[in-house]
């Protein structure tokens, strides 16, 4: 069918309406690129899928695909040895959740219910709960790794917490001491260059033992790291470097687990894009 005939039939308006019922960008793109079928076997099969999806929606509500995002570029990069970010791994966990929910949706409580076309499609979806649970256990958000991601990370963070408390105790002792009262601009603990410091009046900078990390805009205050906490601050910096290294190790391990399931994830993606398309047709039909 030529483009002039399609335009005359307002085919583009039908396509736009159908695309509005799809959830994923992948299904929307599939719909935008559609052209009318010409083989009767394809037409009959597609209509049967739509009819079965309408029946399923009327019986149990529509298939929910919230959280369905494209993950194939991430799968490709991980397969090439790349390390996925926390956000990317959470997207994969979200996709796995969609797979699991789609599988649960397809279960026929009434054994008399038979959906010849769709049952075959749903049967091919393979949830991977071990990978989904592992990612969700390790990663709390796009920027936060859970303490429980590994015993090593848990230990490092516990040591960081203890060291921070020791530094604060030392500094609290200094700002509460009468010996330093006149030297301090304010009795507070501050952070400069990721180091714990106290604000010292500029005239006492040579008297107050410690390392100068910054000064105020007026120059009246210098922010000094007291010598008594330099070693503890150094230990915190070392622990933070260890923490970063351990997080990278965990991300690499999770990325390797994703790569092990690459083919299965890609197969699930293809199935879910098609199901998204089929249920978009069914919802358009019902509308």
């Amino acid at each position: 069918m030529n483009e002039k005939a399609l335009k005359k039939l307002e085919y583009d308006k039908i396509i736009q309406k159908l695309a509005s019922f799809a959830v994923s960008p992948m299904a929307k793109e599939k719909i935008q690129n559609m052209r009318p079928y010409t083989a009767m076997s394809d037409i009959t099969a597609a209509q049967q899928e739509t009819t079965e999806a309408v029946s399923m929606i009327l019986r149990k509500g529509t298939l929910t695909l919230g959280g369905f995002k494209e993950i194939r570029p991430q799968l490709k990069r991980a397969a090439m040895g790349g390390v996925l970010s926390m956000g990317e791994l959470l997207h994969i966990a979200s996709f796995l959740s969609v797979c699991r929910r789609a599988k649960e949706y397809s279960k026929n409580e009434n054994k008399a219910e038979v959906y010849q076309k769709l049952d075959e499609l749903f049967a091919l979806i393979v949830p991977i709960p071990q990978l989904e649970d592992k990612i969700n256990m390790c990663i709390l958000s796009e920027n936060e790794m859970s303490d429980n991601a590994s015993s090593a990370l848990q230990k490092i963070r516990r040591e960081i917490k203890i060291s921070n408390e020791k530094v604060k105790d030392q500094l609290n002792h200094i700002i509460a001491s009468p010996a330093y009262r006149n030297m301090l601009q304010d009795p507070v603990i501050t952070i400069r260059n990721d180091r714990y410091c106290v604000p010292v009046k500029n005239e006492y900078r040579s008297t107050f033992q410690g390392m100068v990390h910054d000064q105020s805009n007026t120059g009246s205050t210098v922010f000094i790291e007291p010598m008594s906490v330099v070693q503890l601050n150094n230990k915190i910096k070392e622990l933070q470097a260890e923490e970063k290294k351990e997080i990278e190790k965990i991300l690499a391990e999770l990325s390797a687990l994703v790569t092990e399931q690459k083919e299965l994830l890609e197969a699930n993606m293809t199935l879910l894009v098609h199901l998204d398309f089929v249920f978009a047709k069914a919802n358009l039909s019902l509308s």
Side-chain angles (χ1 to χ4, degrees):
M1 190 174 287
N2 62 48
E3 293 299 319
K4 185 177 179 181
L6 290 177
K7 189 173 181 181
K8 193 73 173 176
L9 290 167
E10 296 188 331
Y11 177 79
D12 59 323
K13 292 184 180 179
I14 299 167
I15 288 297
Q16 291 299 330
K17 193 164 186 180
L18 176 58
S20 71
F21 284 98
V23 175
S24 67
M26 298 78 74
K28 290 180 187 291
E29 184 180 354
K30 176 186 174 82
I31 292 165
Q32 295 290 351
N33 294 327
M34 277 183 65
R35 285 295 177 266
Y37 299 125
T38 54
M40 185 55 69
S41 58
D42 292 338
I43 295 167
T44 304
Q47 287 182 332
Q48 187 177 341
E49 284 180 344
T50 306
T51 300
E52 289 181 11
V54 168
S55 178
M56 289 184 95
I57 290 170
L58 293 174
R59 282 178 178 269
K60 58 176 76 179
T62 193
L63 173 65
T64 55
L65 296 172
F68 186 18
K69 298 175 182 176
E70 178 65 271
I71 60 166
R72 283 171 292 196
Q74 289 77 26
L75 294 179
K76 183 179 179 180
R77 191 156 57 79
M80 293 171 67
V83 176
L84 301 181
S85 69
M86 286 185 259
E88 289 171 326
L89 287 163
L90 284 176
H91 283 171
I92 289 169
S94 178
F95 171 71
L96 288 168
S97 173
V98 173
C99 295
R100 176 171 44 79
R101 286 186 275 115
K103 196 75 171 181
E104 289 168 0
Y105 172 85
S106 70
K107 290 176 182 175
N108 294 333
E109 296 172 5
N110 182 353
K111 298 299 180 183
E113 292 179 25
V114 178
Y115 305 100
Q116 185 182 347
K117 291 285 184 184
L118 295 189
D119 282 347
E120 288 178 5
L121 289 172
F122 280 112
L124 293 171
I125 296 172
V126 182
I128 315 172
Q130 301 92 338
L131 180 57
E132 181 188 352
D133 292 344
K134 179 74 173 175
I135 293 172
N136 286 328
M137 182 198 78
C138 292
I139 302 173
L140 299 176
S141 72
E142 292 191 359
N143 302 304
E144 187 179 5
M145 181 77 73
S146 169
D147 292 351
N148 298 321
S150 75
S151 55
L153 184 63
Q154 195 172 47
K155 182 183 177 184
I156 291 166
R157 285 182 171 173
R158 186 166 57 245
E159 289 183 21
I160 289 173
K161 184 180 178 183
I162 291 168
S163 297
N164 276 320
E165 288 171 354
K166 284 181 179 178
V167 170
K168 287 176 183 176
D169 285 344
Q170 287 267 17
L171 294 176
N172 279 323
H173 176 73
I174 288 171
I175 63 178
S177 170
Y180 295 102
R181 188 170 297 157
N182 291 332
M183 295 184 185
L184 299 177
Q185 194 71 261
D186 294 294
V188 295
I189 300 168
T190 185
I191 295 176
R192 289 293 186 277
N193 299 325
D194 295 326
R195 312 281 289 197
Y196 285 106
C197 302
V198 290
V200 177
K201 294 173 184 175
N202 191 46
E203 58 262 35
Y204 293 105
R205 68 184 300 163
S206 57
T207 309
F208 194 99
Q209 294 297 306
M211 297 175 64
V212 177
H213 285 284
D214 198 5
Q215 69 176 25
S216 65
N217 291 333
T218 59
S220 61
T221 305
V222 286
F223 298 93
I224 297 179
E225 177 186 5
M227 289 306 297
S228 59
V229 299
V230 168
Q231 198 168 355
L232 279 170
N233 271 333
N234 287 341
K235 184 181 179 183
I236 290 170
K237 294 292 284 184
E238 288 169 9
L239 287 168
Q240 286 171 340
E242 285 181 33
E243 178 190 27
K244 186 179 179 181
K245 188 177 178 181
E246 181 61 19
I247 288 172
E248 284 298 317
K249 179 185 172 185
I250 294 164
L251 291 175
E253 288 171 354
L254 290 173
S255 299
L257 290 176
V258 167
T259 298
E260 287 176 14
Q261 303 292 348
K262 180 177 181 287
E263 289 184 9
L264 199 52
L265 287 162
E266 287 176 334
N268 282 346
M269 172 66 74
T270 301
L271 287 164
L272 284 172
V273 169
H274 186 67
L275 284 167
D276 190 4
F277 163 60
V278 170
F279 277 83
K281 290 193 295 176
N283 280 305
L284 174 59
S285 172
L286 287 167
S287 76

